């Protein structure tokens, strides 16, 4: 990662040096043309002055001098115009190259962050599940401790399943290999089932809901379940363990609005437009404490768009975040 940043700084320095050189060369070319144009004018004026007394009348001399000055002005205008056009084209091309290179390096850095996060996210639940199973195998534990280890193992396998689903579905959606199922479904039942599943996985967390019945939408049940799960997992991840996570579903005119709210630290205003980008995560991958890969909210955004829905994040009063997905009524 540090090597990528060094490459980015090196490429940026080289880029600016080349751009300055090109602009300086253009300015020198324009100055040289103007000098040549001025020298040509002076040469023609000297030739004209040499013939003033012998061959041409004063009136003809004035006309030819005016023609020389007019040609000089037109040449200067042409040189300046060409220089401005070249400069604008250079700056447009330079801006395009700069943005493309920066975007490529940023994507490379995000992919490295993703690989670091995925490596950690895959190894952690596998290691925890293995340790729990080995403990159950080697020791005769009382029933409460056995149930606790089993529950922890199921939580880790569910987390691993969620991660692999995010990766596989993201790859299939981007590659156009996912087979859509456009069907009318009851989003109320789907949200209620998801919230009950989370209550079973996290019995110590406060999960509340306010779900209006019979909220029908058209879409893919698997993708919409993935959307809900990612939003709820994101809220659980970033909110304190003693604070509730609330889900609500209600009609809003001709729309259906799904909201997931938490009481965590919230999302800074300058980050709200970035969190739905692929691989994007707030903070530094090497120092952040929260788990994740940067795929969850990206998938939520893509699934929402594919279902002609809007997704947004706002501040939740007094603290936390509110993620809202707005669907068209079926």
């Amino acid at each position: 990662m540090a090597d990528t940043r060094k490459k980015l700084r090196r490429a940026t320095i080289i880029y600016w040096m080349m751009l300055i050189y090109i602009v300086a060369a253009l300015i020198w070319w324009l100055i040289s043309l103007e000098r040549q144009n001025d020298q040509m004018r002076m040469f023609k004026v000297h030739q004209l002055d040499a013939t003033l007394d012998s061959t041409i009348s004063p009136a003809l001399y004035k006309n030819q001098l005016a023609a020389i000055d007019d040609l000089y002005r037109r040449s200067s205008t042409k040189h300046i115009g060409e220089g401005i056009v070249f400069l604008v084209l250079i700056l447009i091309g330079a801006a395009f190259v700069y943005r493309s290179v920066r975007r490529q390096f940023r994507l490379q850095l995000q992919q490295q962050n993703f690989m670091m996060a995925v490596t950690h996210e895959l190894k952690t639940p596998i290691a925890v599940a293995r340790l729990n199973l080995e403990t159950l195998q080697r020791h005769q534990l009382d029933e409460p401790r056995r149930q606790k280890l089993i529950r922890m193992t199921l939580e880790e396998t569910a987390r691993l399943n969620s991660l692999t689903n995010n990766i596989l579905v993201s790859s299939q959606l981007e590659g156009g290999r996912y087979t859509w199922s456009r069907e009318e479904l009851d989003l109320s039942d789907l949200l209620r089932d998801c919230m009950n599943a989370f209550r079973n996985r996290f019995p110590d967390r406060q999960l509340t809901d306010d779900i209006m019945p019979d909220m029908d939408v058209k879409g893919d049940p698997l993708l919409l379940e993935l959307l809900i799960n990612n939003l709820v997992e994101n809220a659980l991840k970033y909110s304190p363990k003693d604070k509730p996570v609330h889900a609500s579903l209600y009609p809003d005119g001709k729309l259906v609005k799904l909201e997931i709210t938490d009481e965590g630290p919230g999302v800074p205003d300058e980050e709200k437009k970035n969190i739905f980008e692929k691989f994007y995560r707030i903070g530094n991958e090497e120092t952040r404490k929260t788990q994740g890969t940067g795929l969850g909210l990206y998938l939520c955004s893509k699934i929402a768009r594919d279902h002609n829905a809007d997704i947004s994040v706002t501040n939740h009063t007094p603290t936390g975040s509110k993620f809202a997905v707005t669907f068209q009524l079926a």
Side-chain angles (χ1 to χ4, degrees), residues 32-46 72:
S32 298
L33 286 178
E34 277 300 296
R35 285 179 177 175
Q36 187 179 34
N37 189 34
D38 187 64
Q39 291 172 357
M40 183 64 66
R41 175 183 175 278
M42 295 300 298
F43 175 75
K44 291 181 178 180
V45 170
H46 289 155
Y72 169 79

Side-chain angles (χ1 to χ4, degrees), residues 91-203:
L91 292 179
I92 292 175
F96 176 79
V97 172
Y98 181 78
R99 291 181 60 186
S100 299
V101 172
R102 296 281 297 187
R103 187 183 302 114
Q104 186 64 33
F105 273 106
R106 186 168 61 249
L107 179 60
Q108 183 180 351
L109 184 60
Q110 289 175 343
Q111 288 174 339
Q112 289 180 354
N113 290 340
F114 172 73
M115 292 305 299
M116 290 176 58
V118 162
T119 301
H120 175 75
E121 290 287 289
L122 288 174
K123 290 178 65 177
T124 300
I126 293 173
V128 172
R130 180 178 178 178
L131 179 62
N132 291 342
L133 292 175
E134 288 177 348
T135 303
L136 289 171
Q137 185 183 46
R138 295 177 182 178
H139 304 281
Q140 295 296 327
L141 304 176
D142 55 52
E143 189 60 23
R145 292 184 65 187
R146 281 175 53 85
Q147 292 300 321
K148 181 179 179 181
L149 287 179
I150 291 173
R151 179 172 58 80
M152 291 173 59
T153 303
L154 291 175
E155 287 180 8
E156 295 300 326
T157 55
R159 175 179 155 194
L160 186 61
N161 181 66
S162 175
L163 173 63
T164 53
N165 279 341
N166 281 348
I167 296 174
L168 291 175
V169 172
S170 175
S171 175
Q172 291 174 346
L173 287 176
E174 289 195 340
R177 298 187 303 273
Y178 187 85
T179 303
W180 277 78
S181 173
R182 297 280 186 180
E183 61 184 72
E184 186 172 332
L185 58 91
D186 190 336
L187 191 60
S188 303
D189 289 342
L190 181 61
L191 178 59
R192 193 175 294 110
D193 292 341
C194 290
M195 294 299 292
N196 289 333
F198 275 104
R199 290 189 183 98
N200 293 330
R201 284 178 57 190
F202 304 98

